[in-house]
Each structure stands twice: as C-alpha cells, then as structure tokens.
Amino acid sequence: MTSLISWLDASTEENSKMRELVKLFGTPETTDDLGMGQLRDAISNSLFPGTSVLHLGARYMLLVPWAYQTAHRSTRNPEELRKRSEESERQLIGRLKAIGEESYIGRDAGRNVMQLPSAAYWTALRTYGIVAQDTDRSAVAQLMCADASAPEDGENSYSVWNQTLPKPPAGFPQTEDRGLKLSHDEARWLQERILSTCPGTMLAHVAGSEVSPTPGLWAPWLDPACRGAEGDPAQWLRDAEAFSFIHNGATILYQHLLAELSASVFTAGEDTQEPTQELLEAWEDKRDGKRDLLAGWDVNGYIDRAKALNRGINSNTADFARQMANAAMSPSKLIDNQNFRAAVETREKLMKKSNSRFRNERRLRAWQPPARVGALTFRWTQVRRNVLDIHAGLALEGQSNA
C-alpha cells in the first residue's frame, strides 16, 4: 500500500480517487479483489455523478465554499487563505459536535481529522458548478486572491465560486446552528444546481422527484424513487442490478476458493469452509429471482457503454464481466462450475500478481472467512442521504431560516 498512497497530495481528482480507494480497502464487502472497479464506477458515475462514498450530507456543498469565502474576507495571501479556510473546516467539526449532529466528517477524530470536507466534496462542487469546473482544490486559494478586488461581505469571489451561492451566516462557522440541515432556500438552490448540471441522470431524477427515497432500502433498484425513472437512468439501473448480482456471486466464490485452499494448505477443519459455503447457498437461493433480469440484460451493450465512458477498461476486464454473466446464467451452481472457478482464480492472480492469495502463503494465512460479502450499491447510501437532505429542506417552504 505504501507505493499507492505516498502521492495523496497530487491533483484533487487523483487525491479524491485515492482517498476513496483507502476507504474501500477498509470496507471488506466492497474491496475490489477481482479488479472490477472500472466497470463499477462507470455505473456509479452515470447514475450519480459527483457523488462519493465519503459523503455525509448535502449541506457540506455549502459549508465548504463558506469556509473559503469567510476566510477570504480577512486575507489576500493565498497561503494564509488556505490555512484559515482549513481552520474554519476544523472549527466546524467542533461546532457540529456542540449542536448534536450525529453523523459528520471528523466525528471520531475531531479537529485532527485527516480527511477534510473540502477534499471529500471537491468533485461534487466542480460537477454541480458550485466552484468553477476547472478549479483544482490546491489552486482555489491562489485564484481567489488573484481577483482584482476583495469581495464585500457576503459576496462571492468571481470566476471561482458560483455567483448565486447562498450567503454564509454571519459569524460562520462559530455561529453555525443549522448543522447539516438545509433550509428551504438552500435545498432549492442545491436541487437547481443538480438539475441544471446533471440532466438525464438518476441523480437529477431523484433530486427533482416528489417521491423521496425510502430509508432502509439498501439498493437503488429496490427504491420506488429510482424505479420510476425512464430512458438512460432506467437502463443504468438495470445494469446496476445485474452487475451487482453477478459480481457478488463471483466475489463469494472467490472467498470460498480461498477457504478451500486454506483448509488444504493449513490442514484446517471444515469449519473454515462453512461460512463461505453458506454465503454461496444464499446467493444461489436468490438466483431464480434474477434469471429474467439476466436473460434480458445485454452485457455486451453495457460493456460498450462503460468503455465509451472509460477507454481504460481493457479486454481482460470486459471478458471477465462476460464470464461472470455466463456463470450466473448457467444451470450449474457456481461451486460446481469448474471453468468459472478457474477464471476467478486466474483473474485474482492477474490483478494481485505476487500478492495473490493463491500464490502468497503469508497473505493466505492472514485471510479469514468473511461473515458476509455485501453486494455493490453504487454509492446509494450516500446518495440517498444527500437527496433526503434536499427533500427535507424543500419541505420547509415558507420557512427559509427554519
């Protein structure tokens, strides 16, 4: 891992991708053991552009710009502005704790948190036109201070921040009392940004819908708010459901192959294989309910659309996606599908090389059978939170400051 994360201070886009990668490594059910992240992200970015697994509330898309704007009033020095805006973000952590927010960036680490909201939300700010789309986080202080004249209180630094951005509360962040709850005007503004910058996406559909997402539904294809979409969003939603299912089966089989190998190499008891055997059986129980979906799913069409978005998707990745789909449609169980068992092992070896658990006994010894292998949800938990925040704010019509 050292070689992968030593350059976290690179460009904002690279920084954001690496921070997401680091978080995913800490989440077993979404660890990309089989190297299918590019195909996963093609769906995530098409359904929900600008979103991230790091998001914890829509109002951060206002709080971050306000940290920079309020800091800019007292300095024209780019380095000083950077330091003051960062300090404002850290003060906000204490303020959110003081007013009783339950879930926010820095809840556990406090002001010493390494991942500031501005890093987590910068892609969203650029995607939705809240900050100029070609503005890197590392350059924003320089650009703000390069303006010909300092903005008056409450005004925005032109050519950097969106001119219609709501004004920060007086005394921000020390006086912040709304926390992560949007006012009606704030929610309306964020909704308009998403609708104007992400037309024809599932994100725009659910943000603009009168039907709110249902708390507790773990996947977007289960939620009536998403199922009402048509056109491209509906197609990407079908891709999401099908890909999530076949990927989940392949990942569970991979874990079971490790259980078999571990039992053989270390002469462990059969109890090593029981957890993954049960997971495979549970997946098989769901397969009949997915057969119509998979039969009508054009996996090649999906791969072509994903490649159009990311030309870095190579033939090996595309071929393995087809193998996953074929195995899921096969009448034989995954555990009995010798060709697919070999394909999964080959894929993991290709991805991890000398770190492959099929090759590296030290890594195999450190492996433990998982209690669960979560299916891909394409950031739905974070998207649902943001959309519910916006809908809750919109419900406060006539109460702009409520």
Side-chain angles (χ1 to χ4, degrees):
M1 277 300 296
T2 303
S3 63
L4 287 175
I5 63 174
S6 61
W7 46 271
L8 277 178
D9 290 329
S11 73
T12 294
E13 184 174 1
E14 291 171 336
N15 187 306
S16 177
K17 288 179 179 178
M18 279 307 301
R19 291 187 186 279
E20 286 210 31
L21 181 61
V22 169
K23 179 167 182 175
L24 289 175
F25 274 133
T27 310
E29 65 269 24
T30 54
T31 300
D32 191 19
D33 289 303
L34 299 178
M36 305 305 284
Q38 290 177 317
L39 287 173
R40 174 200 65 210
D41 291 347
I43 296 174
S44 299
N45 294 334
S46 297
L47 286 172
F48 309 120
T51 59
S52 164
V53 297
L54 304 173
H55 286 182
L56 286 177
R59 199 165 188 252
Y60 274 115
M61 289 183 273
L62 298 171
L63 299 176
V64 169
W66 290 346
Y68 282 94
Q69 289 181 332
T70 53
H72 190 205
R73 295 174 186 166
S74 56
T75 182
R76 300 286 293 156
N77 179 280
E79 180 60 18
E80 188 65 22
L81 173 56
R82 184 191 66 79
K83 291 179 179 178
R84 292 187 183 188
S85 60
E86 180 178 308
E87 174 60 21
S88 181
E89 290 189 70
R90 295 191 188 281
Q91 290 180 8
L92 182 63
I93 294 171
R95 187 62 188 153
L96 292 176
K97 179 180 180 179
I99 63 177
E101 281 289 345
E102 294 182 358
S103 178
Y104 54 92
I105 294 174
R107 184 190 63 179
D108 298 325
R111 63 174 290 110
N112 295 322
V113 67
M114 297 296 293
Q115 173 71 62
L116 288 173
S118 54
Y121 280 82
W122 204 260
T123 297
L125 296 176
R126 295 202 300 187
T127 300
Y128 310 144
I130 297 172
V131 70
Q133 293 188 353
D134 58 351
T135 301
D136 195 87
R137 177 171 170 257
S138 64
V140 68
Q142 186 77 35
L143 292 171
M144 290 176 69
C145 291
D147 285 340
S149 59
E152 299 294 331
D153 282 356
E155 292 183 354
N156 299 339
S157 300
Y158 72 91
S159 74
V160 177
W161 299 105
N162 189 294
Q163 290 298 289
T164 65
L165 183 72
K167 295 180 180 180
F172 179 88
Q174 292 87 350
T175 60
E176 176 55 48
D177 58 3
R178 293 198 65 88
L180 298 181
K181 298 178 180 63
L182 291 163
S183 71
H184 172 78
D185 290 346
E186 293 167 355
R188 177 65 67 190
W189 186 81
L190 282 176
Q191 183 191 53
E192 290 173 351
R193 297 311 312 150
I194 291 171
L195 294 179
S196 64
T197 57
C198 304
T201 66
M202 184 65 76
L203 179 63
H205 171 77
V206 293
S209 175
E210 294 183 359
V211 179
S212 294
T214 304
L217 294 179
W218 65 272
W221 50 87
L222 300 176
D223 201 301
C226 294
R227 293 177 69 87
E230 300 177 349
D232 286 346
Q235 178 61 67
W236 283 112
L237 191 65
R238 286 191 293 272
D239 293 332
E241 183 179 2
F243 186 76
S244 178
F245 183 70
I246 66 172
H247 179 273
N248 189 233
T251 305
I252 295 171
L253 179 61
Y254 164 65
Q255 295 291 338
H256 185 71
L257 295 179
L258 294 180
E260 291 180 341
L261 182 61
S262 180
S264 172
V265 172
F266 305 121
T267 62
E270 292 185 2
D271 56 340
T272 301
Q273 301 178 50
E274 288 179 5
T276 52
Q277 178 72 50
E278 291 175 359
L279 292 174
L280 275 174
E281 291 173 356
W283 184 88
E284 295 287 353
D285 289 342
K286 299 174 185 175
R287 187 147 52 146
D288 282 345
K290 297 290 185 179
R291 288 197 184 277
D292 288 345
L293 169 72
L294 295 176
W297 185 45
D298 181 2
V299 63
N300 290 317
Y302 157 62
I303 292 171
D304 288 343
R305 283 180 282 110
K307 282 185 172 182
L309 298 173
N310 182 356
R311 299 194 180 279
I313 297 172
N314 60 39
S315 59
N316 286 330
T317 298
D319 287 344
F320 187 68
R322 295 185 185 98
Q323 289 174 309
M324 291 195 301
N326 289 337
M329 286 296 294
S330 170
S332 65
K333 292 185 176 181
L334 288 189
I335 196 171
D336 298 325
N337 189 326
Q338 297 302 317
N339 290 336
F340 191 55
R341 286 168 63 100
V344 169
E345 179 174 341
T346 299
R347 178 66 183 176
E348 195 261 9
K349 288 178 177 177
L350 178 65
M351 291 295 99
K352 297 190 175 183
K353 299 180 172 60
S354 62
N355 284 322
S356 165
R357 292 186 175 100
F358 293 108
R359 290 191 174 115
N360 190 319
E361 185 173 307
R362 179 182 59 83
R363 295 208 67 228
L364 179 62
R365 187 181 296 275
W367 173 84
Q368 294 292 326
R372 64 182 298 270
V373 176
L376 298 174
T377 64
F378 309 97
R379 310 174 193 154
W380 177 240
T381 298
Q382 293 78 22
V383 172
R384 182 180 62 202
R385 164 74 186 268
N386 283 349
V387 172
L388 285 173
D389 285 353
I390 290 172
H391 284 199
L394 292 173
L396 301 174
E397 188 168 6
Q399 306 176 53
S400 298
N401 298 313

